[in-house]
Structure formats: C-alpha cells, structure tokens
C-alpha cells in the first residue's frame, strides 16, 4: 500500500502539524490540511514547481 493511501484514511486533526516525507505528495490532500488550519512540513521533490512570494527576516536571537 502506498503511504499516501494510508494517510488519507486517518482523520485530519484541526490545527495539527503534519511532518512527512516524499511518499505523501498530494497537493489536494495538502489543501485539505491547510483548510483545517494544519501546518505541513515536508521535503520537496527536486522537480517541485514553487515561487517565493515573500522574504521575511529572522530576528538575531531566533537563529540556531
């Protein structure tokens, strides 16, 4: 079974943070997570199209 198939069967927890790897690539599912107020953290595939829409500075005391 593909990872994304099993993940889609689990209930979405509003406001949760989801961390997953490349096996969970599904923009439609990510949109549902976003609509539920969730955050997502993932590693992008090399051919993922994206556009930087805003740069934000990090306060010096917040850098690791």
């Amino acid at each position: 079974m593909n990872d994304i198939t099993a993940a889609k069967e689990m209930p979405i927890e509003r406001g949760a943070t989801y961390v997953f790897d490349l096996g969970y690539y599904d923009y439609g599912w990510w949109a549902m997570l976003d609509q539920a107020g969730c955050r997502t953290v993932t590693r992008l595939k090399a051919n993922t199209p994206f556009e930087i829409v805003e740069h934000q500075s990090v306060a010096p005391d917040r850098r690791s």
Side-chain angles (χ1 to χ4, degrees), residues 7-60:
K8 287 180 178 181
E9 291 179 5
M10 296 173 17
I12 294 174
E13 184 178 329
R14 297 188 69 74
T17 298
Y18 289 85
V19 181
F20 38 76
D21 205 16
L22 301 177
Y24 297 89
Y25 238 72
D26 184 315
Y27 294 117
W29 185 57
W30 291 358
M32 290 187 340
L33 293 172
D34 182 61
Q35 288 175 357
C38 300
R39 292 177 181 241
T40 57
V41 179
T42 190
R43 183 169 55 119
L44 296 177
K45 292 181 180 180
N47 63 347
T48 300
F50 67 91
E51 176 183 346
I52 297 172
V53 296
E54 182 178 356
H55 288 277
Q56 295 185 347
S57 299
V58 176

